[in-house]
mmCIF file of all heavy atoms in Angstrom:
data_model
loop_
_atom_site.group_PDB
_atom_site.id
_atom_site.type_symbol
_atom_site.label_atom_id
_atom_site.label_comp_id
_atom_site.label_asym_id
_atom_site.label_seq_id
_atom_site.Cartn_x
_atom_site.Cartn_y
_atom_site.Cartn_z
ATOM 1 N N LEU A 390 14.590 -0.340 10.933
ATOM 2 C CA LEU A 390 14.558 1.118 11.065
ATOM 3 C C LEU A 390 15.685 1.586 11.976
ATOM 4 O O LEU A 390 16.013 0.939 12.974
ATOM 5 C CB LEU A 390 13.217 1.569 11.649
ATOM 6 C CG LEU A 390 11.969 1.260 10.807
ATOM 7 C CD1 LEU A 390 10.711 1.704 11.544
ATOM 8 C CD2 LEU A 390 12.055 1.934 9.442
ATOM 9 N N ASN A 391 16.243 2.723 11.613
ATOM 10 C CA ASN A 391 17.365 3.304 12.356
ATOM 11 C C ASN A 391 16.924 4.602 13.027
ATOM 12 O O ASN A 391 16.822 5.640 12.366
ATOM 13 C CB ASN A 391 18.533 3.572 11.412
ATOM 14 C CG ASN A 391 19.728 4.182 12.132
ATOM 15 O OD1 ASN A 391 19.764 4.243 13.357
ATOM 16 N ND2 ASN A 391 20.702 4.650 11.366
ATOM 17 N N PRO A 392 16.666 4.579 14.327
ATOM 18 C CA PRO A 392 16.245 5.804 15.013
ATOM 19 C C PRO A 392 17.353 6.843 15.155
ATOM 20 O O PRO A 392 17.107 7.939 15.660
ATOM 21 C CB PRO A 392 15.815 5.293 16.399
ATOM 22 C CG PRO A 392 15.610 3.835 16.233
ATOM 23 C CD PRO A 392 16.596 3.415 15.199
ATOM 24 N N GLN A 393 18.563 6.501 14.718
ATOM 25 C CA GLN A 393 19.666 7.462 14.729
ATOM 26 C C GLN A 393 20.083 7.829 13.299
ATOM 27 O O GLN A 393 21.245 8.141 13.031
ATOM 28 C CB GLN A 393 20.871 6.886 15.487
ATOM 29 C CG GLN A 393 20.613 6.656 16.973
ATOM 30 C CD GLN A 393 19.927 5.344 17.250
ATOM 31 O OE1 GLN A 393 20.291 4.313 16.715
ATOM 32 N NE2 GLN A 393 18.909 5.369 18.100
ATOM 33 N N ALA A 394 19.130 7.791 12.385
ATOM 34 C CA ALA A 394 19.445 7.994 10.971
ATOM 35 C C ALA A 394 19.910 9.410 10.669
ATOM 36 O O ALA A 394 20.651 9.641 9.711
ATOM 37 C CB ALA A 394 18.231 7.655 10.110
ATOM 38 N N THR A 395 19.480 10.370 11.471
ATOM 39 C CA THR A 395 19.895 11.757 11.285
ATOM 40 C C THR A 395 20.318 12.322 12.637
ATOM 41 O O THR A 395 19.909 11.806 13.690
ATOM 42 C CB THR A 395 18.746 12.613 10.722
ATOM 43 O OG1 THR A 395 17.704 12.723 11.716
ATOM 44 C CG2 THR A 395 18.176 12.003 9.440
ATOM 45 N N PRO A 396 21.100 13.393 12.648
ATOM 46 C CA PRO A 396 21.476 13.993 13.930
ATOM 47 C C PRO A 396 20.267 14.423 14.759
ATOM 48 O O PRO A 396 20.261 14.264 15.983
ATOM 49 C CB PRO A 396 22.327 15.198 13.511
ATOM 50 C CG PRO A 396 22.906 14.799 12.187
ATOM 51 C CD PRO A 396 21.837 14.008 11.513
ATOM 52 N N LEU A 397 19.246 14.931 14.092
ATOM 53 C CA LEU A 397 18.058 15.363 14.826
ATOM 54 C C LEU A 397 17.319 14.178 15.445
ATOM 55 O O LEU A 397 16.896 14.245 16.603
ATOM 56 C CB LEU A 397 17.121 16.140 13.891
ATOM 57 C CG LEU A 397 15.882 16.758 14.543
ATOM 58 C CD1 LEU A 397 16.268 17.719 15.659
ATOM 59 C CD2 LEU A 397 15.025 17.472 13.489
ATOM 60 N N LEU A 398 17.179 13.093 14.697
ATOM 61 C CA LEU A 398 16.564 11.893 15.268
ATOM 62 C C LEU A 398 17.384 11.350 16.434
ATOM 63 O O LEU A 398 16.831 10.912 17.452
ATOM 64 C CB LEU A 398 16.415 10.818 14.191
ATOM 65 C CG LEU A 398 15.085 10.739 13.450
ATOM 66 C CD1 LEU A 398 15.182 9.771 12.273
ATOM 67 C CD2 LEU A 398 13.957 10.330 14.386
ATOM 68 N N THR A 399 18.699 11.368 16.294
ATOM 69 C CA THR A 399 19.563 10.887 17.369
ATOM 70 C C THR A 399 19.349 11.703 18.637
ATOM 71 O O THR A 399 19.244 11.158 19.748
ATOM 72 C CB THR A 399 21.037 10.949 16.939
ATOM 73 O OG1 THR A 399 21.215 10.156 15.764
ATOM 74 C CG2 THR A 399 21.952 10.434 18.032
ATOM 75 N N LEU A 400 19.268 13.018 18.484
ATOM 76 C CA LEU A 400 19.032 13.888 19.633
ATOM 77 C C LEU A 400 17.663 13.612 20.240
ATOM 78 O O LEU A 400 17.526 13.487 21.466
ATOM 79 C CB LEU A 400 19.133 15.354 19.202
ATOM 80 C CG LEU A 400 18.889 16.400 20.303
ATOM 81 C CD1 LEU A 400 20.011 16.347 21.337
ATOM 82 C CD2 LEU A 400 18.784 17.792 19.698
ATOM 83 N N ARG A 401 16.652 13.495 19.375
ATOM 84 C CA ARG A 401 15.276 13.300 19.864
ATOM 85 C C ARG A 401 15.103 11.949 20.568
ATOM 86 O O ARG A 401 14.400 11.840 21.572
ATOM 87 C CB ARG A 401 14.302 13.420 18.674
ATOM 88 C CG ARG A 401 12.866 13.023 18.962
ATOM 89 C CD ARG A 401 12.217 13.914 20.026
ATOM 90 N NE ARG A 401 10.809 13.556 20.177
ATOM 91 C CZ ARG A 401 10.366 12.549 20.934
ATOM 92 N NH1 ARG A 401 11.236 11.785 21.604
ATOM 93 N NH2 ARG A 401 9.064 12.293 21.010
ATOM 94 N N THR A 402 15.740 10.912 20.048
ATOM 95 C CA THR A 402 15.562 9.567 20.604
ATOM 96 C C THR A 402 16.638 9.213 21.626
ATOM 97 O O THR A 402 16.665 8.080 22.116
ATOM 98 C CB THR A 402 15.570 8.518 19.481
ATOM 99 O OG1 THR A 402 16.856 8.524 18.832
ATOM 100 C CG2 THR A 402 14.480 8.794 18.462
ATOM 101 N N GLN A 403 17.525 10.163 21.917
ATOM 102 C CA GLN A 403 18.622 9.962 22.873
ATOM 103 C C GLN A 403 19.550 8.831 22.443
ATOM 104 O O GLN A 403 20.247 8.227 23.273
ATOM 105 C CB GLN A 403 18.064 9.702 24.282
ATOM 106 C CG GLN A 403 17.221 10.854 24.798
ATOM 107 C CD GLN A 403 16.659 10.583 26.182
ATOM 108 O OE1 GLN A 403 16.892 9.542 26.781
ATOM 109 N NE2 GLN A 403 15.902 11.545 26.699
ATOM 110 N N GLY A 404 19.527 8.531 21.150
ATOM 111 C CA GLY A 404 20.483 7.598 20.577
ATOM 112 C C GLY A 404 20.359 6.169 21.014
ATOM 113 O O GLY A 404 21.329 5.414 20.979
ATOM 114 N N ALA A 420 8.274 9.753 17.139
ATOM 115 C CA ALA A 420 9.398 10.549 16.656
ATOM 116 C C ALA A 420 9.858 10.086 15.275
ATOM 117 O O ALA A 420 10.143 10.900 14.389
ATOM 118 C CB ALA A 420 10.555 10.493 17.656
ATOM 119 N N LEU A 421 9.914 8.761 15.066
ATOM 120 C CA LEU A 421 10.318 8.222 13.768
ATOM 121 C C LEU A 421 9.351 8.636 12.662
ATOM 122 O O LEU A 421 9.754 8.946 11.540
ATOM 123 C CB LEU A 421 10.385 6.693 13.838
ATOM 124 C CG LEU A 421 11.744 6.065 14.156
ATOM 125 C CD1 LEU A 421 11.573 4.579 14.409
ATOM 126 C CD2 LEU A 421 12.736 6.309 13.027
ATOM 127 N N ILE A 423 7.283 11.309 12.628
ATOM 128 C CA ILE A 423 7.280 12.753 12.365
ATOM 129 C C ILE A 423 8.599 13.213 11.734
ATOM 130 O O ILE A 423 8.611 14.091 10.868
ATOM 131 C CB ILE A 423 7.007 13.538 13.665
ATOM 132 C CG1 ILE A 423 5.632 13.157 14.230
ATOM 133 C CG2 ILE A 423 7.085 15.039 13.411
ATOM 134 C CD1 ILE A 423 4.462 13.422 13.292
ATOM 135 N N LEU A 424 9.712 12.598 12.103
ATOM 136 C CA LEU A 424 11.022 13.060 11.632
ATOM 137 C C LEU A 424 11.662 12.130 10.603
ATOM 138 O O LEU A 424 12.664 12.487 9.988
ATOM 139 C CB LEU A 424 11.980 13.201 12.825
ATOM 140 C CG LEU A 424 11.574 14.188 13.915
ATOM 141 C CD1 LEU A 424 12.572 14.138 15.066
ATOM 142 C CD2 LEU A 424 11.460 15.603 13.362
ATOM 143 N N GLY A 425 11.100 10.943 10.414
ATOM 144 C CA GLY A 425 11.751 9.952 9.562
ATOM 145 C C GLY A 425 11.393 10.058 8.094
ATOM 146 O O GLY A 425 10.389 10.652 7.708
ATOM 147 N N ASP A 426 12.233 9.456 7.269
ATOM 148 C CA ASP A 426 12.002 9.334 5.829
ATOM 149 C C ASP A 426 12.823 8.142 5.346
ATOM 150 O O ASP A 426 13.140 7.250 6.148
ATOM 151 C CB ASP A 426 12.347 10.626 5.081
ATOM 152 C CG ASP A 426 13.740 11.154 5.400
ATOM 153 O OD1 ASP A 426 14.643 10.346 5.708
ATOM 154 O OD2 ASP A 426 13.943 12.384 5.347
ATOM 155 N N ASP A 427 13.194 8.107 4.083
ATOM 156 C CA ASP A 427 13.937 6.956 3.577
ATOM 157 C C ASP A 427 15.274 6.755 4.294
ATOM 158 O O ASP A 427 15.779 5.632 4.356
ATOM 159 C CB ASP A 427 14.165 7.087 2.063
ATOM 160 C CG ASP A 427 14.980 8.303 1.700
ATOM 161 O OD1 ASP A 427 14.457 9.432 1.825
ATOM 162 O OD2 ASP A 427 16.137 8.136 1.280
ATOM 163 N N ARG A 428 15.827 7.821 4.861
ATOM 164 C CA ARG A 428 17.106 7.686 5.568
ATOM 165 C C ARG A 428 16.981 6.819 6.814
ATOM 166 O O ARG A 428 17.976 6.243 7.291
ATOM 167 C CB ARG A 428 17.649 9.068 5.954
ATOM 168 C CG ARG A 428 18.045 9.929 4.768
ATOM 169 C CD ARG A 428 18.356 11.359 5.201
ATOM 170 N NE ARG A 428 17.162 12.034 5.697
ATOM 171 C CZ ARG A 428 17.146 13.279 6.177
ATOM 172 N NH1 ARG A 428 18.286 13.964 6.265
ATOM 173 N NH2 ARG A 428 16.020 13.813 6.586
ATOM 174 N N ALA A 429 15.768 6.706 7.341
ATOM 175 C CA ALA A 429 15.555 5.894 8.547
ATOM 176 C C ALA A 429 15.436 4.407 8.234
ATOM 177 O O ALA A 429 15.391 3.594 9.158
ATOM 178 C CB ALA A 429 14.305 6.374 9.280
ATOM 179 N N VAL A 430 15.383 4.055 6.957
ATOM 180 C CA VAL A 430 15.300 2.648 6.569
ATOM 181 C C VAL A 430 16.716 2.112 6.374
ATOM 182 O O VAL A 430 17.393 2.436 5.400
ATOM 183 C CB VAL A 430 14.464 2.470 5.291
ATOM 184 C CG1 VAL A 430 14.467 1.015 4.837
ATOM 185 C CG2 VAL A 430 13.029 2.953 5.531
ATOM 186 N N ARG A 443 20.925 0.316 3.251
ATOM 187 C CA ARG A 443 21.322 1.709 3.098
ATOM 188 C C ARG A 443 22.825 1.857 3.332
ATOM 189 O O ARG A 443 23.348 1.420 4.365
ATOM 190 C CB ARG A 443 20.568 2.602 4.075
ATOM 191 C CG ARG A 443 20.966 4.086 3.938
ATOM 192 C CD ARG A 443 20.070 4.991 4.748
ATOM 193 N NE ARG A 443 20.518 6.370 4.631
ATOM 194 C CZ ARG A 443 20.253 7.178 3.632
ATOM 195 N NH1 ARG A 443 19.537 6.739 2.616
ATOM 196 N NH2 ARG A 443 20.720 8.411 3.604
#
Side-chain angles (χ1 to χ4, degrees):
L390 297 177
N391 180 10
Q393 295 83 45
T395 67
L397 185 58
L398 266 171
T399 302
L400 179 67
R401 170 62 175 83
T402 63
Q403 300 179 0
L421 266 171
I423 299 301
L424 300 176
D426 52 30
D427 62 289
R428 294 171 294 178
V430 176
R443 180 171 178 81

